Amino acid sequence: DTEVTQTPKHLVMGMTNKKSLKCEQHMGHRAMYWYKQKAKKPPELMFVYSYEKLSINESVPSRFSPECPNSSLLNLHLHALQPEDSALYLCASSPSQGFYGYTFGSGTRLTVV
Amino acid sequence: EDKVVQSPLSLVVHEGDTVTLNCSYEVTNFRSLLWYKQEKKAPTFLFMLTSSGIEKKSGRLSSILDKKELFSILNITATQTGDSAVYLCAVEGIQGAQKLVFGQGTRLTINP
């Protein structure tokens, strides 16, 4: 299995909703990432987990809450989002040592209404 | 602050043309430079470059890195309509954990 799987593919949520994005990989990668990509912009790093521990938080607002329950799973919990948070959310993984095989998932297209 | 700049931001050519995309960077403790192709959703990996002057090649695509001048180019020869995409350059620096900094991307359109 050489894929990073993200669910759901599309999500529409209200500003008072609580939802979660899910990311899964079975490549034995020990580093996992959340990126946010606005239209016609490059991906921007949000969080990095290395060996299931949060190693980088790029000053992301607390309405985004990451979670890494095990080495294969990465979640992003969403609460009280704003319309400007609408974007493509990309998950990626890589081997923690060395940098070969940085793989992106197909993303979740999030719309906040 | 780490920075990656791509040029041009947009390029429209005819099928069969050759294109050159540029990527310059400033990053602390450079480790590697990567090229990705993004069509509709996930960026797909093209090349990783770590050593200066060594060309990586895959079919009609090739890329080279100049670590002294801090830039890379991506060449596509005999372009096809399927090459239409956004091409992203990203640079990895060592900052405690792996972290990629992306350029703005070059939107390439190949007209038949």
Side-chain angles (χ1 to χ4, degrees):
Chain A
D1 187 351
T2 58
E3 287 187 349
V4 174
T5 303
Q6 287 188 246
T7 54
K9 294 194 185 309
H10 299 274
L11 178 63
V12 180
M13 61 185 290
M15 289 188 282
T16 58
N17 291 160
K18 282 186 182 180
K19 296 286 184 185
S20 295
L21 310 185
K22 182 179 172 182
C23 173
E24 194 166 3
Q25 56 88 15
H26 297 286
M27 295 177 281
H29 288 177
R30 301 312 298 269
M32 296 185 77
Y33 312 76
W34 281 115
Y35 279 85
K36 173 181 176 179
Q37 187 175 24
K38 301 280 278 184
K40 298 188 178 181
K41 297 286 187 184
E44 294 178 358
L45 183 66
M46 299 174 73
F47 302 105
V48 179
Y49 272 84
S50 182
Y51 287 91
E52 298 149 55
K53 287 186 168 42
L54 183 66
S55 61
I56 294 179
N57 176 343
E58 292 286 279
S59 302
V60 179
S62 59
R63 57 186 184 268
F64 295 91
S65 175
E67 178 197 20
C68 189
N70 60 57
S71 60
S72 299
L73 278 176
L74 185 66
N75 298 320
L76 186 64
H77 303 298
L78 314 172
H79 173 54
L81 294 193
Q82 303 296 312
E84 59 264 29
D85 296 321
S86 298
L88 179 67
Y89 287 84
L90 293 164
C91 174
S93 71
S94 70
S96 61
Q97 297 299 324
F99 194 83
Y100 302 102
Y102 197 102
T103 307
F104 281 89
S106 55
T108 295
R109 175 96 39 211
L110 173 68
T111 303
V112 181
V113 297
Chain B
E1 188 179 327
D2 296 343
K3 193 174 173 183
V4 179
V5 177
Q6 291 185 244
S7 63
L9 294 180
S10 181
L11 185 58
V12 180
V13 300
H14 290 291
E15 206 167 17
D17 288 352
T18 293
V19 297
T20 298
L21 310 183
N22 303 293
C23 175
S24 63
Y25 63 90
E26 296 173 23
V27 66
T28 305
N29 297 323
F30 173 88
R31 185 168 179 176
S32 63
L33 183 146
L34 298 97
W35 285 97
Y36 287 89
K37 177 182 181 182
Q38 187 172 28
E39 293 176 85
K40 289 185 180 175
K41 283 225 173 162
T44 53
F45 174 79
L46 295 175
F47 298 111
M48 184 178 77
L49 303 153
T50 56
S51 300
S52 202
I54 297 175
E55 185 182 47
K56 292 281 183 90
K57 201 168 169 64
S58 176
R60 296 176 294 101
L61 278 67
S62 64
S63 183
I64 197 161
L65 174 67
D66 185 328
K67 288 170 76 172
K68 184 179 177 185
E69 301 297 330
L70 307 182
F71 79 90
S72 173
I73 60 171
L74 174 68
N75 277 323
I76 309 175
T77 60
T79 52
Q80 302 170 357
T81 54
D83 296 326
S84 296
V86 174
Y87 290 82
L88 293 165
C89 173
V91 175
E92 185 199 21
I94 300 173
Q95 295 181 43
Q98 292 96 328
K99 178 179 172 179
L100 284 185
V101 178
F102 282 87
Q104 323 94 297
T106 293
R107 183 170 297 276
L108 177 64
T109 303
I110 311 296
N111 288 326

